[in-house]
Amino acid sequence: QEKVQQSPESLIVPEGAMVSLNCSFSDSASQSIWWYQQHPGKGPKALISIFSNGNKKEGRLTVYLNRASLHVSLHIKDSQPSDSAVYLCAVSPASSSFSKLVFGQGTSLSVVP
Amino acid sequence: EAAVTQSPRNKVAVTGGKVTLSCNQTNNHNNMYWYRQDTGHGLRLIHYSYGAGSTEKGDIPDGYKASRPSQENFSLILELATPSQTSVYFCASGDPRDEQYFGPGTRLTVL
């Protein structure tokens, strides 16, 4: 069964800093990899996804995928207090015939003014 | 924006009682999902559905049943609730290979 591990568990950064979040997974043949953002008391919301090796940029977000090293990272440029949330990495397993997602345990980000 | 609603938002139940959690989506998505979220475990899939009338077991189905009577509605049923089922439950919907849209969650406490 696919395993997803995220690091660090929590992170505190000053406003304007670059944030880097890490995620490792167990199967190089996994399908899409997603990053979700979850504010306290709310449901997760999809931020960005990636399927192919390399990087993908959307606004202040950049995601890097390296299937050979089973690693994906999310980078948030110019972080804002509103970015404070839990970030969840989710992987769609290769064996899944439908859109199943396996989630990591999350990274809690606090951006302080 | 996809809309997924859940009811109730909070529920206190007694051990051995029956609990039904309801989910409604208005975006005509075929796939719907039920997850639970616990500290240290992230989100774990309980049941899912491909469409009206279908339910399938996810990764942690024991102690739970699901019902999909229509495209819009997907319920999670705890026939005999136990304290270990105290958790926050999320419903989601989505098209295959696309993002999942989550509801606001139901906080369930089983005493």
Side-chain angles (χ1 to χ4, degrees), chain B residues 39-55:
Chain B
T39 303
H41 286 283
L43 283 156
R44 291 180 290 172
L45 182 64
I46 306 170
H47 284 288
Y48 60 95
S49 169
Y50 292 112
S54 90
T55 61

Side-chain angles (χ1 to χ4, degrees), chain B residues 31-89:
Chain B
N31 292 357
M32 295 188 75
Y33 312 82
W34 276 107
Y35 295 89
R36 63 179 284 176
Q37 186 173 38
D38 304 286
T39 303
H41 286 283
L43 283 156
R44 291 180 290 172
L45 182 64
I46 306 170
H47 284 288
Y48 60 95
S49 169
Y50 292 112
S54 90
T55 61
E56 303 289 338
K57 293 180 180 179
D59 296 325
I60 53 163
D62 293 346
Y64 302 93
K65 291 184 180 179
S67 173
R68 182 89 180 269
S70 66
Q71 182 79 343
E72 297 79 20
N73 295 295
F74 191 35
S75 297
L76 185 69
I77 302 148
L78 291 66
E79 295 276 4
L80 293 169
T82 68
S84 64
Q85 294 175 313
T86 293
S87 186
V88 180
Y89 291 85

Side-chain angles (χ1 to χ4, degrees), chain A residues 81-104:
Chain A
S82 57
D83 294 329
S84 297
V86 173
Y87 289 80
L88 299 165
C89 175
V91 176
S92 183
S95 59
S96 175
S97 59
F98 79 111
S99 299
K100 174 179 177 175
L101 290 176
V102 177
F103 285 83

Side-chain angles (χ1 to χ4, degrees), chain A residues 1-5 23-33 67 70 90-96 100-104, chain B residues 59:
Chain A
Q1 174 152 344
E2 180 80 65
K3 299 275 191 263
V4 180
Q5 293 286 337
C23 175
S24 62
F25 52 97
S26 57
D27 184 358
S28 62
S30 296
Q31 301 176 58
S32 295
I33 297 165
R67 288 189 182 277
L70 302 174
V91 176
S92 183
S95 59
S96 175
K100 174 179 177 175
L101 290 176
V102 177
F103 285 83
Chain B
D59 296 325

